Amino acid sequence: VGVGREDLGGAAMKLNRQTRMVLVGAVLSLACVLGSTPQVIAQPAGEPGRPQAGRPSGPDFRFGPPAGWVGVRLSKLFVRGESELFDFVRDDLTIGERDFDGPAISFEVGAPIAPRADLVFDVGYSRASADSEFREFVDEFDLPIVQTTRLTQVPLGVNFRFLLMPRGREVGRFAWVANSFTPYVGAGVGGLWYRFEQQGDFVDFVDLAIFDDYFESSGWGFSSHLFGGGSIKINRWLELAMEARYIWSSAELGRDFVGFDQLDLAGFKITTGLEFKF
């Protein structure tokens, strides 16, 4: 059977139109499927800069509250000095009311014993020195009669402090973050070792003779104190601590200062320092 060229051309054109329609329909269907499917992008676990739900971003979290800490503090000590020996050196010598105030340093070790309570052990050291002369007397050359007086103190204490707010909070199941500021109050007891020294020229009030000598007294006294302060978080391992403390203490004087009552070792102390948490 013969087929004309016109019939073949018409069939080819019809076939091409059907093919184009099928291809267009397939493209439109594929576009609809892709447009309706949500796009999911994989992200590596713990990728920096992308915080995950339930975990804090950055390195400030711990796996739990600190088990303890060690610290060092610098202080300014203000000695009360209300005893007969202090009155004597201030009245007869050119020693001022605040000449025995001075810097101090202390070291501490502490650990939590309850969610809001800590047990702290500390030891400190301070030394004040004052150069002076007699107010009412001079030597035969009309020169001042001079001496040096020193007061050294080494306090040892055990302290209980109560936190006025929680020390931190849990984030998720495994992370713990310390509060940025934790105020506290507390009390403590202990012992205070002292040494009171005088060296130089002195006047014998019986015959007004001038002599060179060294006087010393040292010993222990019971101490108690109240304090309040706070800790400011620097990072997960380090905190800045500030504190104000009042100390009550006194001790017996040695044989070089017979006739005087107990030496008053009470005073007020302001401290600041660092606590390393572990």
Side-chain angles (χ1 to χ4, degrees), residues 87 108 196 202 244 262:
D87 292 340
E108 66 178 28
F196 189 91
F202 300 90
Q262 288 191 336

Side-chain angles (χ1 to χ4, degrees), residues 92-203:
D92 287 33
L93 307 178
T94 56
I95 293 179
E97 193 72 23
R98 304 258 59 93
D99 281 350
F100 291 111
D101 300 345
I105 188 172
S106 61
F107 303 91
E108 66 178 28
V109 178
I113 56 175
R116 290 201 186 187
D118 296 332
L119 178 65
V120 185
F121 298 92
D122 61 22
V123 57
Y125 176 85
S126 67
R127 185 179 187 184
S129 180
D131 295 326
S132 61
E133 59 189 67
F134 275 89
R135 295 183 185 274
E136 304 295 335
F137 299 97
V138 292
D139 65 11
E140 63 270 24
F141 303 104
D142 204 26
L143 296 175
I145 304 170
V146 298
Q147 56 287 133
T148 299
T149 304
R150 290 182 291 269
L151 176 63
T152 305
Q153 299 185 65
V154 180
L156 298 172
V158 53
N159 313 296
F160 296 91
R161 70 184 192 185
F162 177 76
L163 308 185
L164 300 180
M165 61 184 298
R167 68 182 81 243
R169 66 189 186 280
E170 293 183 353
V171 180
R173 295 179 56 191
F174 303 107
W176 185 89
V177 178
N179 285 333
S180 58
F181 176 69
T182 308
Y184 61 82
V185 294
V189 295
L192 197 159
W193 182 85
Y194 82 94
R195 173 177 287 160
F196 189 91
E197 304 170 273
Q198 284 191 302
Q199 185 173 13
D201 294 329
F202 300 90
V203 175

